Amino acid sequence: MHFAARTWERISRRIGALPARRVTWGLVLLFSGWVLLDVWVFKLTGGVAQSSYDAMVRSRLWVAAPDPRVVIIDIDEASLARMAPEFGRWPWPRDTLATVLDHLERQQPAAVVWDMVFSDADRLSPGGDAAFSAAAQRSAHSHFSVVRLPLANDAASQLTQAALPGLWLGRAGTPTAATVALIPPVLPGVASSRLGFNNGYVDADGVLRRYRYQETLADGSAIQSLPLSVLGAMDSGAINAYVARASADVYPQDELVAWRKSADIYPRIPFADVFAQAEGGSPKGAVPSFAGKVVIIGATAPSLHDIHPTPLSPLHAGVDALATALDNALNQRHIRELPRGLQAALAIALCVGLGLWVQFDSVASLAPALLALPATLVAISYVSLNGLPVFVDLNLAAGLALVFLALLRVWSTLRRDYWCAPPPHTTQALAIWPWERSKPWLEGPLDRLIDAVERHAPTCRVVVCDASIPWPATLRWPELARFAAVVGPHQDVLAARKALTPALQRLASRCGEPVVLDSATDRRTLAHGVLAAWSRFQPPEFKNP
């Protein structure tokens, strides 16, 4: 135990003896190097800080209202139960879907978006497949999903634009020969319709925060997501911006989702009610008109497992996430992220700025910033989520600022312990050079005093009454805390007087003449000598006549 204490004492003294300039800029270089390695190599803390980002999303003050055109026909648990007696368990025969599609088309919706894939034939009901394929071919407003496979599999695929013409972004011109790996629709009427991938690309923690609107292939062509398929049909001018981005390959393809206020904000109509109305029956609930609506057909039934954790909810229905991405595309609501290089530059600039501040002031002057600066940076990030088109992610900078300031604070304490200890043992007589200040020698002035002694009298030390203030307390004896002394070998103190005097005069109000100690210089003797030197600074009313 004593060995560990002595070892730590030696280590702390060595750290405290390090020059301030070397420590400050060493930390700046260390943190800057970490930022570069982390952002470009390790990627451990760069980018969105997941937990803080999710909390900020849930607590936003300004959130865009949902597009009133977007409505969901919901295959919920109640619909599964109501239709089970006639059609059995899911999946139902696809002629049920064909009935609903024809019913919707008669009402002239803006779009019918299918949040389900038709990748397998229904061997139990081939007639249902034929009916739905024919309904899809008749449909003028349908958009169907495909499942995108990893980009690395594209070279082994045989699917080209000729097989799935409705999948490519900006389809005008000569068809590309690029192959794409995906799970295609098995029904001919669906394969020839408008298509888009609808994959949920989650972060490393399994939470869906971004949506991929397009994906550029190896030959420079691009395939579209389901929301872009709808946007291209409804607003041909708006889709051109996405075509330009894909060809320029400037913007990241995964984009932060501008979430609405809650996870179930879009109106839902049970599928069973729409089907009953299409069959000429009586629905249990009110079924609105779908004219001019963007109708998404998908499932919220937990048993169908279309659920993703998102910043809003750990059980966010996939069809609602698709509705949000589609709403954002239709209304051009996008949240860009700062490039990783810019995030690194901001974090490094912050470290350099803190280093310069310490260089020209003191570590103590940054004490209020220990919590205020990181909190301010996080607040800026939070504000940017409330309606700005760019999320100013300063979580990395905030974390670095907190650690940087904390390390400087610890080192500053060790430094004061070193320079305010008794001077090293010497055979020379010690001299005490007293100084008085109009205000207490708190951390900032004390650091400046130590700076001057470190620069001009490195063999000397500083004696000062402890004047730390643990908030919210105040100094008990501020009168005693106004005194300090430079103590060291007599000849060294005399040699440093000329260089030290200008620096100390800027800090103190008056000084005395150095007092030389003749007796042995243990701590008790030194303390008596220092108190005696200070006692000579008598108030004017007590001076001898």
Side-chain angles (χ1 to χ4, degrees):
M1 191 71 177
H2 293 292
F3 174 76
R6 288 195 300 269
T7 301
W8 166 245
E9 183 179 357
R10 289 195 298 268
I11 293 174
S12 63
R13 285 181 61 82
R14 290 179 180 177
I15 296 174
L18 293 174
R21 185 185 300 267
R22 185 181 303 175
V23 170
T24 301
W25 294 110
L27 285 175
V28 169
L29 291 176
L30 177 65
F31 275 74
S32 299
W34 166 251
V35 168
L36 294 175
L37 287 174
D38 181 55
V39 169
W40 299 113
V41 180
F42 302 119
K43 300 180 181 179
L44 296 176
T45 57
V48 171
Q50 295 166 344
S51 58
S52 60
Y53 174 79
D54 294 349
M56 287 189 291
V57 168
R58 289 191 295 270
S59 59
R60 289 168 298 168
L61 299 176
W62 185 90
V63 183
D67 191 320
R69 294 173 295 177
V70 178
V71 63
I72 296 171
I73 294 181
D74 186 11
I75 303 173
D76 55 1
E77 290 291 352
S79 294
L80 293 177
R82 287 169 56 186
M83 298 184 68
E86 183 176 358
F87 300 106
R89 299 177 60 186
W90 179 266
W92 303 317
R94 287 172 177 156
D95 51 358
T96 58
L97 305 180
T99 299
V100 168
L101 177 55
D102 288 336
H103 176 67
L104 293 175
E105 284 289 347
R106 287 193 292 269
Q107 299 184 49
Q108 292 297 305
V112 179
V113 185
W114 294 87
D115 186 25
M116 59 185 74
V117 294
F118 298 92
S119 56
D120 297 301
D122 187 350
R123 302 187 181 279
L124 298 178
S125 180
D129 277 4
F132 187 75
S133 182
Q137 201 162 18
R138 292 191 302 268
S139 175
H141 304 95
S142 282
H143 303 262
F144 295 95
S145 300
V146 297
V147 177
R148 176 72 166 112
L149 298 177
L151 181 68
N153 299 321
D154 283 354
S157 176
Q158 297 181 355
L159 289 172
T160 65
Q161 186 175 356
L164 301 172
L167 179 61
W168 260 255
L169 183 63
R171 295 183 293 274
T174 305
T176 176
T179 57
V180 59
L182 52 81
I183 300 176
V186 70
L187 304 179
V190 175
S192 61
S193 298
R194 299 183 182 92
L195 302 173
F197 63 86
N198 186 33
N199 295 46
Y201 294 100
V202 299
D203 289 345
D205 60 350
V207 177
L208 181 68
R209 298 182 179 89
R210 296 175 175 84
Y211 193 84
R212 185 170 300 179
Y213 283 95
Q214 75 240 1
E215 189 169 306
T216 303
L217 304 180
D219 68 340
S221 63
I223 56 175
Q224 65 189 3
S225 64
L226 202 53
L228 286 197
S229 176
V230 176
L231 179 63
M234 294 179 61
D235 189 346
S236 58
I239 200 67
N240 292 333
Y242 291 92
V243 176
R245 291 173 193 171
S247 59
D249 198 24
V250 173
Y251 293 91
Q253 294 178 326
D254 289 358
E255 185 177 296
L256 286 174
V257 177
W259 298 104
R260 300 300 175 267
K261 190 63 177 178
S262 63
D264 55 355
I265 200 166
Y266 293 96
R268 300 174 181 176
I269 297 93
F271 184 94
D273 284 344
V274 180
F275 180 76
Q277 186 184 66
E279 289 276 88
S282 299
K284 287 188 174 181
V287 178
S289 169
F290 297 104
K293 299 291 187 180
V294 178
V295 183
I296 306 175
I297 303 177
T300 64
S303 60
L304 300 185
H305 307 295
D306 186 16
I307 294 172
H308 299 285
T310 70
L312 295 180
S313 171
L315 299 174
H316 199 147
V319 66
D320 193 270
L322 172 60
T324 305
L326 178 55
D327 188 345
N328 290 337
L330 291 176
N331 294 282
Q332 297 298 292
R333 293 193 182 98
H334 302 288
I335 301 179
R336 310 293 183 199
E337 296 181 70
L338 295 179
R340 299 182 70 84
L342 182 55
Q343 290 186 41
L346 290 174
I348 292 173
L350 179 63
C351 291
V352 172
L354 292 173
L356 290 172
W357 184 282
V358 171
Q359 184 77 36
F360 294 103
D361 201 315
S362 67
V363 175
S365 64
L366 285 173
L370 185 60
L371 294 178
L373 180 59
T376 300
L377 295 174
V378 173
I380 293 173
S381 298
Y382 171 72
V383 170
S384 69
L385 270 180
N386 288 266
L388 294 184
V390 177
F391 172 52
V392 184
D393 183 12
L394 298 179
N395 287 284
L396 172 60
L400 286 177
L402 181 61
V403 177
F404 187 88
L405 291 172
L407 289 177
L408 277 179
R409 189 77 175 168
V410 170
W411 168 78
S412 180
T413 300
L414 296 178
R415 182 179 186 237
R416 294 190 198 106
D417 290 344
Y418 176 81
W419 286 100
C420 295
H425 178 73
T426 178
T427 57
Q428 296 185 42
L430 292 182
I432 301 171
W433 188 14
W435 287 83
E436 183 184 11
R437 178 177 163 82
S438 59
K439 296 180 180 180
W441 290 92
L442 299 180
E443 292 178 329
L446 178 58
D447 285 344
R448 297 278 70 86
L449 174 60
I450 292 174
D451 288 342
V453 172
E454 179 186 31
R455 186 177 303 112
H456 301 296
T459 59
C460 298
R461 294 296 182 266
V462 175
V463 177
V464 64
C465 292
D466 292 333
S468 59
I469 307 176
W471 187 89
T474 58
L475 287 174
R476 295 185 179 90
W477 288 96
E479 297 81 5
L480 296 178
R482 294 189 293 109
F483 298 97
V486 177
V487 179
H490 182 207
Q491 296 300 325
D492 294 350
V493 171
L494 294 179
R497 283 188 71 179
K498 184 176 180 180
L500 278 174
T501 298
L504 297 187
Q505 283 179 338
R506 290 192 293 267
L507 298 170
S509 57
R510 57 178 173 165
C511 71
E513 289 296 320
V515 177
V516 181
L517 297 179
D518 296 326
S519 58
T521 53
D522 57 10
R523 291 179 64 97
R524 183 182 179 86
T525 303
L526 181 60
H528 277 290
V530 170
L531 290 174
W534 287 345
S535 67
R536 297 179 183 179
F537 290 118
Q538 295 181 13
E541 61 269 23
F542 290 103
K543 285 187 176 180
N544 294 324

